[in-house]
Amino acid sequence: MRVRLVVTFVVVALISAVTATALAYRDARTAVLQRTQNTAVNDLRERVGVVAADVDLPPDERTLARFASKVSEGIGARIVVVRYQDLSATSDTLAETEGRITAELRAAVRAGSGARFQRVEWRGEPYLVVGLPVTYADGDRRTSGLEVFAITALRAERDDTAALLDSVRAGIVPVVVLAAVLALLAAGTVLRPVRKLGRATRELATGDLGSRVAVRGHDELADLARTFNETADALQASDTELRAQEAKARRFVADVSHELRTPLAAMTMVATVLEEDADQLPPDAARAARTVGAETARLSRLVDDLMEISRFDAKAVRLNASVTDLADTVRASLALRGWTDRVTAELREGVRAVVDRRRVDVIVANLVGNALRHGAPPVTVTLAVADGGERGDGGESGDGGEWVVLEVADHGPGLAPEARERVFDRFYKADVARTRSTDTDTGDRADSGDSGDSGGQGSGLGMAIALENARLHGGTIEVGQQPLGGAVFTLRLPLRTGEEGE
């Protein structure tokens, strides 16, 4: 904008200066030529009026020569040509006059009764030629037949106007320079508040809701700054209110989860006793006891998940990291849940990294449990090591740029594009009717499950918790689609081997 303002100022100043120069030159030239023309016509008319009284008509060539000389002497020694019918005489016999007195001027003088003039260019020099018919007043104006022409050089006038043009043209440069300086000053004055407003806008965009601009004056820029401040105030107030409401919601979830644990523990104990004695109960009572036990266990997992999410939100989660053999950790996680026979494990041996073993177990449990619950066999778990250049997101890793890559793939229907975008959202579940629990799975699979392998629908927090645990290690979880169908979840963790914890 600064460049555009400066260019605009300079162009306007240049156009104004050129226009002023042209007008000044035209007016000055017109004034100079008009003054010369008037002087030449008046001098010739007065001198001819004095000399013509002594001329006898019809004149001879000698009389015409004497007449021309006297007129020339009286008007400043200009070249004078006198004509009478076919006779002609010149005050300067050596001067060439034919090229300077045009036929048009002669015809105009012969046909008229007053003075006529014409500017001509002859041999590169400007001249003013004034023609005048000699008349006598004896009751009416009567033409004598004498025609007098005076030739005046306009070299001095041309030089004067040229000098004026040069001086005006020389003034254009300082005018343009001055315009450029003024444009820079004006641009600085105009753009300074714009730059401040831009800086404040960028700060606001980066999250600094306290960014404001000073309001000075009462012009449009001041109105814009005032509007920006009002918008920032409203945005800050809304953000404060939303943060307060979010904090209240988190505290509420945490408090409710905590308060539920005590009665839930009692319910779990009772449900366990009922399940153990279910075989001794009537069929309906046994079915009810088993249902109560399953739902109580599901409620217990949900409360545990809510507590875990609350700790992540409160930034109260810390890694208890140590050097861990990841292949052993994955095998132990599968064995703990009875999945060893249901999962094909391809684990690279000897992969040791500094991780929190319990949290890696949570990640594996959620990914594999989700594949078993919603996918189709075979479910494969692959553990490998890749360098940073093999990462799809081009991120940076820990030691040597290496990453631990754990892939969990199944051969089910996979995930729809909209489900892949939201699979890690809290409480997100795909269509319940499309999960494997219906035994008629032909569509998209549910995606945010829990670590258990129950046939029913999870809480929708498992995948969110898995992703939070991966991020806590400096890694991530990505979801994709296999070429022949089925979903694949890829856990990537930086391979740190020599440092303890975070």
Side-chain angles (χ1 to χ4, degrees), residues 212-247:
R212 298 293 186 274
V213 292
V215 180
R216 293 186 177 87
H218 303 281
D219 54 7
E220 290 80 2
L221 290 175
D223 293 338
L224 182 60
R226 195 175 295 107
T227 302
F228 172 83
N229 290 341
E230 293 172 355
T231 303
D233 290 339
L235 183 61
Q236 188 175 28
S238 299
D239 179 75
T240 302
E241 182 178 357
L242 289 175
R243 289 179 183 273
Q245 292 177 357
E246 183 180 9

Side-chain angles (χ1 to χ4, degrees), residues 294-305:
E295 293 302 318
T296 302
R298 183 166 177 248
L299 179 60
S300 178
R301 288 195 301 272
L302 175 60
V303 171
D304 289 341
D305 288 345

Side-chain angles (χ1 to χ4, degrees), residues 312 316-322 354-360 363 468-475 493 496 500-502:
F312 279 114
V317 179
R318 294 291 181 270
L319 286 179
N320 184 18
S322 61
V354 178
V355 296
D356 188 324
R357 184 186 181 95
R358 183 185 71 82
R359 296 191 180 279
V360 171
I363 297 173
E468 292 291 348
N469 279 302
R471 288 174 175 171
L472 196 63
H473 284 85
L493 299 178
R496 300 187 179 95
E500 290 289 333
E502 291 189 10

Side-chain angles (χ1 to χ4, degrees), residues 399-417:
D399 297 335
E402 291 185 315
W403 291 78
V404 176
V405 179
L406 179 73
E407 287 188 355
V408 178
D410 63 71
H411 291 75
L415 288 165

Side-chain angles (χ1 to χ4, degrees), residues 230-266:
E230 293 172 355
T231 303
D233 290 339
L235 183 61
Q236 188 175 28
S238 299
D239 179 75
T240 302
E241 182 178 357
L242 289 175
R243 289 179 183 273
Q245 292 177 357
E246 183 180 9
K248 290 179 181 178
R250 289 175 178 173
R251 283 197 301 271
F252 174 77
V253 171
D255 293 344
V256 169
S257 301
H258 181 74
E259 293 298 326
L260 285 175
R261 300 192 74 174
T262 300
L264 188 58

Side-chain angles (χ1 to χ4, degrees), residues 1-37:
M1 183 177 287
R2 178 188 296 272
V3 174
R4 291 199 296 270
L5 283 174
V6 172
V7 170
T8 301
F9 266 77
V10 171
V11 169
V12 170
L14 185 60
I15 293 174
S16 301
V18 170
T19 303
T21 299
L23 293 176
Y25 174 73
R26 186 195 65 181
D27 292 343
R29 182 173 180 273
T30 300
V32 170
L33 293 178
Q34 187 68 41
R35 184 176 66 250
T36 302
Q37 288 166 186

